Amino acid sequence: MSDDIMGPPWKIDWRTDAGAYRDSLPKDVRETLVEALVDVNTAPDPYRPGPDIPVEPERSTRFRGPHIFYFDSGRGWARFTFVRRSEDPQIVIEELFWQ
């Protein structure tokens, strides 16, 4: 087992309710979500994907805890965690919202 974390793209897992909500969104919104998620998924650090996708900690006191990224000009957001395992690291989408 290596101390190095495997690099992107990361594996993505969805909580059942978040995945069901994602599937119920209009097609154009799902496409916008996927575009935002690609930036998070391919970043060396999913908590810092770059200037195009705003990401912030859910609570400022837990920097490595759950984070939120925004999509569709701020009309939607997803709360996610990044599980930093040396084998099979992954992003877990815990909650999704769009209005």
Side-chain angles (χ1 to χ4, degrees):
M1 191 157 133
S2 170
D3 289 336
D4 296 329
I5 293 177
M6 295 167 43
W10 310 107
K11 205 171 162 187
I12 297 179
D13 192 17
W14 293 78
R15 275 190 31 169
T16 304
D17 53 345
Y21 186 74
R22 173 202 59 210
D23 295 343
S24 73
L25 293 172
K27 182 179 178 184
D28 60 322
V29 175
R30 283 194 315 263
E31 290 171 357
T32 303
L33 170 62
V34 167
E35 289 173 10
L37 195 50
V38 164
D39 287 348
V40 173
N41 189 35
T42 57
D45 182 349
Y47 292 150
R48 297 179 188 168
D52 294 337
I53 300 296
V55 174
E56 62 186 38
E58 180 184 46
R59 292 187 301 181
S60 62
T61 57
R62 293 188 57 204
F63 183 74
R64 293 289 179 199
H67 277 58
I68 296 172
F69 76 85
Y70 298 90
F71 65 97
D72 196 18
S73 300
R75 293 180 64 197
W77 55 264
R79 185 178 70 209
F80 71 100
T81 55
F82 179 54
V83 182
R84 296 178 180 270
R85 299 184 287 236
S86 58
E87 290 185 26
D88 198 26
Q90 68 179 351
I91 294 171
V92 179
I93 308 293
E94 298 176 343
E95 189 173 1
L96 180 65
F97 177 79
W98 181 78
Q99 65 177 2

